[in-house]
Amino acid sequence: MLDAFTALNRGTRLVYRRGLRRYVYAPIAVNLAVYTAMLYYVVTRFGGWLEAWMAMVPAWLGWLEWLLWPLFVLSLVLIVFFTFTLVTHLIAAPFYGFLAAKVETQVTGRPPLDDRGLARTAVDALGRELVKLGYILPRALALFVISWIPALNVFAPLLWALFSAWMMAITYLDYPMDNNKVTFADMRRRLAAHSWQTLTFGGWVTLITWIPLANLFLLPGAVAGAVLMWDRHYRGEGDVAAP
C-alpha cells in the first residue's frame, strides 16, 4: 500500500535522478524568486498587520488576549502561506505539468493520455490554475471572514490547516490528472473517494512548504509523489458524489 509519506519520499529521490533532474531547475528558480520577494514584503509588514488585527478584539474578550494573540499569529501565518502557494503555483504550473508527464512516462513506462503539444499544454495549464482559483478563493474568503469574527476565530487555525491540506492535494494531484484528461470536477470526486490518502498527502505537502528554502527543492518531489499517488490510488476511480 503506497502511503502519502512514502510517495513523497520516493518522488523526491526520483526527480533528482539522471534524466529527470534537469526538469526541476525552472520550477526551483520560479519559486526562489517569488519566495524572496514575498518574504521581504511579509517581514516588513507583519507587525502592522498583527497590531491592526489585535485592535479589533472587543473589550469583553480582553481577558482572552493571551490566547487570541498566538491564534491571530498562526492565522496570519496560514494566510501568508496560502497566498504564497497560490502565486507560486500559478507561475510554475506549466513547468510542474511537464515534470509530472515526464515522471509518469518513466515510472509507468507509458506517457499520459494528454496528446497536446508543449505550447498548448503550457497555456492550458494556466487555464487549469484559474479553475482551481475559482474553486479555492471563495472558500478561502469564507475562512478569512471567520478569522475576523470574535469567538468563531478561535477555530480559524484548525480550519485553515484542514483547508490547506485539501488545497495542496488539489494543487499537486491535479497535475497528473490534468495530463490524463481528468476534468476538474472528476478529480474532486476521485479525491473525495480516497479522502484519507488525499488529506494525508496534502498535509505532508503543506508541512513541506513550511520548511524555509528547503521547500524549494522538495516541492518538485511532491509533483512526482502526486504521480505515484495518482497511479496507485486514483487512476480508474469511478464517479462518486463531489464535495
Side-chain angles (χ1 to χ4, degrees):
M1 186 68 171
L2 181 71
D3 61 53
F5 181 80
T6 302
L8 289 169
N9 185 31
R10 287 176 54 189
T12 302
R13 288 182 293 168
L14 182 64
V15 294
Y16 289 103
R17 291 179 181 173
R18 180 178 298 179
L20 281 177
R21 57 177 172 243
R22 65 178 179 270
Y23 298 113
V24 308
Y25 297 148
I28 289 175
V30 168
N31 285 336
L32 181 60
V34 176
Y35 182 89
T36 302
M38 185 162 287
L39 181 63
Y40 173 78
Y41 182 81
V42 170
V43 167
T44 57
R45 288 168 171 79
F46 191 85
W49 292 339
L50 186 58
E51 289 180 6
W53 208 342
M54 290 299 298
M56 296 187 66
V57 176
W60 65 273
L61 281 179
W63 63 278
L64 276 179
E65 185 172 338
W66 64 273
L67 176 61
L68 294 177
W69 187 87
L71 289 177
F72 284 166
V73 170
L74 182 56
S75 294
L76 280 174
V77 169
L78 289 170
I79 292 170
V80 169
F81 152 77
F82 173 78
T83 305
F84 169 78
T85 300
L86 288 181
V87 172
T88 56
H89 288 95
L90 182 63
I91 298 173
F95 304 107
Y96 282 152
F98 188 60
L99 174 61
K102 293 299 181 181
V103 170
E104 183 170 350
T105 301
Q106 186 171 115
V107 169
T108 66
R110 61 184 185 275
L113 296 177
D114 193 352
D115 54 2
R116 297 169 294 181
L118 180 60
R120 179 61 183 273
T121 299
V123 173
D124 288 352
L126 291 176
R128 185 80 164 207
E129 289 300 307
L130 294 177
V131 173
K132 294 180 195 175
L133 286 177
Y135 173 82
I136 291 172
L137 286 178
R139 291 158 176 81
L141 179 60
L143 283 180
F144 181 76
V145 171
I146 289 174
S147 300
W148 289 81
I149 299 176
L152 286 181
N153 53 21
V154 173
F155 302 99
L158 175 61
L159 295 175
W160 274 108
L162 290 173
F163 179 68
S164 296
W166 177 248
M167 179 189 70
M168 297 306 290
I170 284 180
T171 298
Y172 280 88
L173 289 166
D174 184 54
Y175 294 125
M177 294 200 197
D178 186 30
N179 286 342
N180 284 277
K181 300 183 177 180
V182 176
T183 66
F184 185 72
D186 190 18
M187 178 201 67
R188 289 189 288 116
R189 287 192 288 266
R190 297 181 191 220
L191 297 188
H194 298 274
S195 57
W196 173 251
Q197 289 85 357
T198 298
L199 290 177
T200 53
F201 179 80
W204 279 113
V205 176
T206 300
L207 290 176
I208 287 173
T209 62
W210 289 349
I211 305 175
L213 296 180
N215 55 12
L216 303 178
F217 301 94
L218 294 174
L219 288 178
V223 176
V227 174
L228 298 175
M229 293 288 287
W230 148 255
D231 192 55
R232 176 63 182 85
H233 296 293
Y234 303 99
R235 190 192 294 270
E237 178 64 40
D239 290 345
V240 295

